[in-house]
Amino acid sequence: MIHYCEKCEEYTLKEVCSKCRNKTVNRKPARFNPNKNYAKERLKVKGFL
Ligand SMILES: [Zn+2]
C-alpha cells in the first residue's frame, strides 16, 4: 500500500511521514501510471527506428 504525505507532497510506504511525522493517507500515484509510460516509450522507440 502506498501512502502519501499531503504536507510534503511526497509518497512513502510508511503510515507516518519520515520527514515531518505527519500521518499519511492511502493513495495511488496517478503520475506513475505504468501503462501511460509504456505507451510513451513505445512511441519514442517507434519514432527513433
Ligand atoms: Zn511529510
Side-chain angles (χ1 to χ4, degrees):
M1 189 65 77
I2 296 169
H3 297 268
Y4 177 77
C5 176
E6 292 176 318
K7 206 172 176 183
C8 303
E9 296 184 321
E10 276 187 28
Y11 292 100
T12 178
L13 295 175
K14 293 173 183 175
E15 288 183 6
V16 176
C17 180
S18 56
K19 279 187 178 178
C20 66
R21 303 291 169 189
N22 195 36
K23 202 171 190 298
T24 56
V25 294
N26 293 341
R27 193 197 263 189
K28 286 182 180 176
R31 66 176 125 169
F32 297 128
N33 190 325
N35 293 327
K36 212 174 183 179
N37 287 339
Y38 181 65
K40 216 173 183 180
E41 282 301 309
R42 276 184 66 189
L43 283 174
K44 214 184 222 169
V45 170
K46 205 175 178 183
F48 189 68
L49 291 170

